[in-house]
Amino acid sequence: MNDYITIALPKGKLFKKSVALLEKVGYSAENVVEDSRKLIISNEETKVRFIIAKTVDVPTYVEYGAADIGIIGKDVLLEQEKDVVELLDMGFGKCRLMMAVPEAKRREKLTDYAHLRAATKYPNCAKEYFNKLGIQVEIVKLNGSIELGPIVGISEMIIDIVETGRTLKENKLVEVDSVFTATARLIANRASFKLKFDRLHKLVEDLRVVLAEEGK
Ligand code: PRP
C-alpha cells in the first residue's frame, strides 16, 4: 500500500468542499460520498484511497498512520493536540469557538460567569479559555446539540462553534466572547510526510494554486 496516498475525509460540514478541492488536483475516486456504505474507496489508477471518517476521528487516523493525510478543522486540532503535521490552512470552513449564554442570563463582565457551568464538545479548549480568564467554571462535556445545555438546565453557558449564527438565534442564545477562529487544515502523518514527501509536497503546492484561484 506504500505507493498509495490514503486520505481521511471528515463527514459533515467540511466534506463536500474537501472532495471538490481534492478532485481539482487529481485526487478523486468514484462514489466518494458522505453516506457511502463503503468506508474505504480506492482509485487504482491514481493510487489514492479515501477513508470516510467521523470528524473527531480524522486526527487519530492520521496520527496512527491509517491515513497519510486528512482534512480537519483547526478547532478539532486545538482540542485534541494529536501528533500530526499541519501542512496547509485551506481557508474554508471558517467558524469560531465562542462563549454564549441565554439572552436573559447575560452578565456585565466575563468574570461574572465564575462558578457557573459550561456545556461543550471542546472541554480542553474551554478549560484553557476559563483558566486564561482566571475564573473557575465547571465544564460539562456533551457530544452534540450543545445549545440544549442551558435550555434543559445542564449548564448556564455554552462554549461551542458558531458558523452562520442560526443555531444560536433559534435557541435564544447570545454570543458573549470569542475563544478563537478556525478553518480547515490539511494534516499529515509524521512518517508519511517524510516517506512520501515528493507526492505530498506537490499536492500541497497544487492545492495552494487552486485555493488562490478560488480566492480571486
Ligand atoms: C455545530 C455547532 C452548532 C452549529 C453552529 O453543530 O456545534 O450547533 O454547528 O452552526 P450555525 O452557526 O451555522 O448555526 P453541528 O452541526 O456540527 O452538530 P452538533 O450540534 O450535533 O455537534
Side-chain angles (χ1 to χ4, degrees):
M1 276 299 167
N2 235 358
D3 50 346
Y4 272 75
I5 294 285
T6 303
I7 306 175
L9 290 175
K11 287 183 187 176
K13 288 177 178 163
L14 301 180
F15 189 83
K16 272 200 184 114
K17 183 74 185 170
S18 302
V19 172
L21 279 170
L22 287 167
E23 196 169 347
K24 280 192 179 166
V25 294
Y27 282 69
S28 63
E30 254 174 68
N31 288 322
V32 181
V33 285
E34 214 175 335
D35 56 359
S36 167
R37 292 266 156 214
K38 245 173 129 184
L39 297 174
I40 301 183
I41 300 160
S42 304
N43 184 339
E44 278 178 38
E45 234 171 84
T46 53
K47 299 270 186 267
V48 182
R49 287 201 315 169
F50 292 94
I51 294 178
I52 300 175
K54 208 175 149 135
T55 306
V56 290
D57 293 335
V58 167
T60 307
Y61 284 110
V62 174
E63 183 182 41
Y64 282 87
D68 298 303
I69 56 172
I71 294 177
I72 190 67
K74 181 70 179 176
D75 50 319
V76 177
L77 290 177
L78 287 170
E79 176 63 23
Q80 298 189 354
E81 293 183 337
K82 297 281 186 200
D83 185 21
V84 295
V85 189
E86 211 178 295
L87 295 181
L88 181 66
D89 179 350
M90 302 179 84
F92 69 96
K94 199 164 181 181
C95 60
R96 60 186 190 282
L97 190 71
M98 46 92 235
M99 200 266 259
V101 297
E103 258 161 343
K105 299 267 176 71
R106 193 168 190 157
R107 301 185 174 192
E108 211 170 292
K109 302 185 300 299
L110 286 173
T111 44
D112 293 341
Y113 295 97
H115 308 298
L116 299 180
R117 288 163 303 183
T120 188
K121 267 190 289 199
Y122 299 81
N124 295 325
C125 294
K127 259 178 224 153
E128 203 186 318
Y129 167 72
F130 289 116
N131 279 345
K132 273 192 190 150
L133 279 182
I135 62 174
Q136 187 86 30
V137 164
E138 189 183 328
I139 308 292
V140 183
K141 167 84 163 60
L142 292 178
N143 292 304
S145 306
I146 310 303
E147 293 79 6
L148 259 179
I151 296 171
V152 298
I154 283 177
S155 70
E156 288 78 23
M157 48 189 163
I158 63 165
I159 296 280
D160 197 22
I161 290 294
V162 65
E163 212 178 320
T164 62
R166 216 177 61 216
T167 316
L168 280 187
K169 215 170 163 189
E170 279 174 11
N171 293 290
K172 297 196 170 50
L173 293 164
V174 284
E175 184 171 347
V176 172
D177 194 20
S178 176
V179 182
F180 57 67
T181 338
T183 46
R185 306 294 158 109
L186 182 71
I187 57 170
N189 169 268
R190 282 204 180 277
S192 302
F193 183 56
K194 287 185 193 142
L195 293 169
K196 302 182 181 180
F197 181 81
D198 291 343
R199 214 173 150 193
L200 292 184
H201 181 66
K202 183 170 183 328
L203 169 63
V204 171
E205 291 313 309
D206 290 350
L207 280 171
R208 272 191 213 284
V209 172
V210 170
L211 289 167
E213 272 168 8
E214 282 191 357
K216 272 181 199 159

